[in-house]
Amino acid sequence: MKMWSGRFGQAQNPDFEQWQRSFPFDRALLPYEVAASKAHAAALAAAGVLSERELAATLSALDQIEGEGGPQDDDPTIEDVHHFVEKRLVELAGEVGYKLHTGRSRNEQIATDLRLYVREQIDAISQTLLEFLGEFVEQAEDAGQNAMPAYTHLQRAEPVLVAHWLLAYVEMFLRDLDRLADCRKRMNECPLGSGAVAGTILPLDREAVANELQFDSPTANSIDATSDRDFAIEFVQALSVVALHLSRWAEELVLFSTTEFGFVKLPEQFSTGSSAMPQKKNPDALELVRGKAGRVFANATELWIAVKGLPLAYNKDLQETQQPVFAAAGQVSSMLRVATGFLAVVSFDGERMQQAASGGFMNALALAALLVRRGVPFRQAHEQVGQAVRLGLEKSCALEQLSKQDYAQCGIAADAELFRALALEEVLAIHDVPGGTAPLRVRAALAAIKEKLSIYAGAAHAGT
Ligand code: ARG
């Protein structure tokens, strides 16, 4: 039996009937639909609509429905997850099952179910993100004092600690964690009691229902609660940024794994071969992380488009907001799992990175800094060091290999201190500010990050 057939004299067009169904995908919401239904049943009993016995029968049938997990195959007679639960409830508990829909509407139910889904996904994805960050921390610790080139414009710019480079990603993903937590704060309100649009017709205890479902409070406006999906949009936007960061990370590792860079040794567990070229080991895991990021952005766009033209309040278009949310959550979870596994086993060629960190005139700025300390205005120092670089290029040698005479030609008085300043350790050490790559600063940053991660892990444990 349909949930709304009374006023209809004609059968639905069969194509339309099948096409408008959401059960093939909204069955993913079954656990939340059951939880919300239990909370509503308790509120109905408190309002005197269900007797104690009826409540007990309803709750135990709902438990069974959750345990069964829905039909094995799709059932074409079921319109959506709400319809399914009602139908199964009547099968299990009899006529009393028809009482559960008293004082509620599918409009508030779907708004509630989707929030519960998003909340659970935020918690799960945050947990996976934390594990991913744990691997960055381990790699940063393993990297010790190793250095590598930092690039701007993809040209060698300045040497940095490998740990400093790794921790750059940690900062990005920490902000992603924050974004998810922030989104959770705003979305954690309970629409139940909003009815179809104007608020329920029964004196239901909305506070109690919200409490039961671990929402912070009931929503404040029934029209808003049943019609906005900004929480889903925010969630998928936050996931888009996670995907964006994952994609940049993957791209950088793809690049670093080329023979030309040779910084990253691709783990075989996360690589594939070529069916044509026997020698190949390809970075498919990274490429797919990069490739799949685009799908998450597409999900975010789908959501914007689904909601942007809708007058208040509920419109069936909102049914189209479910799949992009499921897809984005599923995608980002699996991207993170693969990325975490990859990072746990990837190894870096520390020697090669260190070697690369020492070439390419990347100590030029450090030399200019020394001249500045000696009282030369920066612009002049820049010019003089630039001339020294030109000389080095002509002679195919590094700055530390130029002679005192060469330096004199550039107006620079070279002495032992100058040559010391050109050494990699010195070049790293002068970036001695919070956020800089001086080894002591990186050590402090690593300690701060570990502290932050343990706070996050504690919070996740406490379920907040
Ligand atoms: N399956 C619907 C959805 O996902 C449930 C709400 C239906 N409400 C309605 N008034 N037809 O949006």
Side-chain angles (χ1 to χ4, degrees):
M1 182 171 152
K2 291 196 187 302
M3 297 179 90
W4 42 260
S5 51
R7 63 97 68 219
F8 285 80
Q10 287 182 357
Q12 240 177 349
N13 170 289
D15 283 338
F16 170 59
E17 185 175 23
Q18 286 309 308
W19 178 76
Q20 58 96 43
R21 295 173 57 235
S22 53
F23 192 55
F25 50 88
D26 71 11
R27 54 180 299 163
L29 296 175
L30 183 64
Y32 316 104
E33 174 71 8
V34 167
S37 293
K38 283 188 188 169
H40 181 65
L44 284 180
V49 177
L50 292 181
S51 69
E52 279 307 311
R53 275 188 51 197
E54 287 174 327
L55 174 63
T58 303
L59 293 180
S60 95
L62 285 170
D63 275 338
Q64 185 174 337
I65 292 170
E66 177 159 28
E68 291 169 350
Q72 203 75 341
D73 302 310
D74 182 32
D75 175 348
T77 67
I78 304 287
E79 187 175 326
D80 57 22
V81 67
H82 321 292
H83 183 206
F84 169 72
V85 170
E86 181 173 285
K87 193 167 169 246
R88 188 77 189 117
L89 186 60
V90 171
E91 282 167 11
L92 292 170
E95 289 286 303
V96 64
Y98 286 127
K99 288 197 176 180
L100 185 60
H101 210 58
T102 320
R104 75 173 183 177
S105 155
R106 286 184 294 166
N107 298 353
E108 60 178 325
Q109 284 171 260
I110 186 60
T112 305
D113 295 355
L114 203 54
R115 275 175 166 83
L116 289 171
Y117 172 87
V118 166
R119 192 177 71 189
E120 196 164 296
Q121 289 296 321
I122 288 176
D123 293 346
I125 290 172
S126 300
Q127 189 51 44
T128 317
L129 255 173
L130 276 173
E131 283 156 31
F132 186 42
L133 291 182
E135 298 299 343
F136 274 102
V137 167
E138 286 215 2
Q139 288 282 7
E141 279 175 337
D142 288 352
Q145 299 298 299
N146 283 347
M148 66 183 283
Y151 298 83
T152 64
H153 312 267
L154 205 48
Q155 304 286 328
R156 286 184 186 179
E158 292 188 86
V160 292
L161 286 191
V162 174
H164 194 54
W165 167 67
L166 289 165
L167 295 187
Y169 284 104
V170 173
E171 293 300 330
M172 296 175 222
F173 291 115
L174 277 173
R175 286 195 297 278
D176 291 337
L177 269 174
D178 257 358
R179 258 183 285 275
L180 287 169
D182 191 49
C183 166
R184 192 191 198 284
K185 250 186 273 166
R186 248 185 312 284
M187 55 85 42
N188 202 27
E189 294 183 341
C190 184
L192 289 186
S194 298
V197 60
T200 179
I201 48 169
L202 292 174
L204 298 179
D205 184 347
R206 294 197 61 207
E207 283 287 344
V209 171
N211 244 335
E212 176 68 26
L213 295 169
Q214 280 150 27
F215 283 110
D216 296 329
S217 63
T219 48
N221 181 297
S222 60
I223 302 173
D224 169 50
T226 50
S227 65
D228 207 350
R229 292 293 182 270
D230 58 352
F231 68 92
I233 292 174
E234 270 191 58
F235 171 55
V236 176
Q237 290 293 326
L239 292 184
S240 299
V241 187
V242 176
L244 174 91
H245 287 149
L246 279 170
S247 181
R248 293 188 76 177
W249 169 80
E251 161 58 17
E252 215 174 18
L253 290 196
V254 167
L255 201 61
F256 286 175
S257 72
T258 57
T259 310
E260 285 69 14
F261 275 87
F263 294 171
V264 169
K265 294 188 212 153
L266 287 176
E268 291 197 4
Q269 300 107 290
F270 288 91
S271 307
T272 52
S274 157
S275 60
M277 297 164 281
Q279 85 285 8
K280 292 296 294 289
K281 182 171 67 166
N282 294 326
D284 293 31
L286 299 168
E287 290 169 311
L288 283 175
V289 166
R290 188 179 59 193
K292 286 176 189 285
R295 306 176 67 149
V296 182
F297 309 154
N299 295 144
T301 306
E302 281 180 85
L303 285 172
W304 287 117
I305 294 171
V307 182
K308 78 177 264 295
L310 301 185
L312 299 181
Y314 180 85
N315 298 268
K316 189 76 170 229
D317 315 43
L318 290 175
Q319 187 167 284
E320 296 302 313
T321 61
Q322 296 180 35
Q323 282 164 298
V325 175
F326 300 159
Q331 195 62 260
V332 169
S333 304
S334 57
M335 285 163 81
L336 274 171
R337 273 199 304 279
V338 169
T340 304
F342 182 97
L343 190 56
V345 294
V346 73
S347 63
F348 297 99
D349 188 335
E351 222 167 278
R352 178 138 175 145
M353 290 169 112
Q354 183 85 5
Q355 212 174 16
S358 312
F361 299 100
M362 284 190 295
N363 45 9
L365 180 58
L367 176 53
L370 174 74
L371 300 183
V372 165
R373 286 202 294 282
R374 290 177 173 179
V376 183
F378 179 75
R379 187 54 52 223
Q380 269 156 314
H382 185 287
E383 204 55 31
Q384 291 171 347
V385 176
Q387 284 168 19
V389 168
R390 178 134 53 99
L391 214 52
L393 285 170
E394 278 166 22
K395 299 185 158 194
S396 297
C397 70
L399 286 176
E400 51 275 35
Q401 291 161 335
L402 289 174
S403 66
K404 288 189 177 183
Q405 289 80 346
D406 292 329
Y407 275 115
Q409 224 178 297
C410 308
I412 298 171
D415 55 10
E417 184 194 38
L418 179 140
F419 287 102
R420 269 200 308 279
L422 290 172
L424 179 59
E425 300 68 47
E426 272 309 299
V427 178
L428 290 167
I430 58 168
H431 298 276
D432 187 19
V433 285
T437 198
L440 279 176
R441 299 296 185 168
V442 175
R443 203 175 307 155
L446 187 55
I449 281 166
K450 283 168 84 172
E451 168 83 24
K452 242 189 207 173
L453 288 182
S454 70
I455 293 171
Y456 270 108
H461 222 67
T464 49

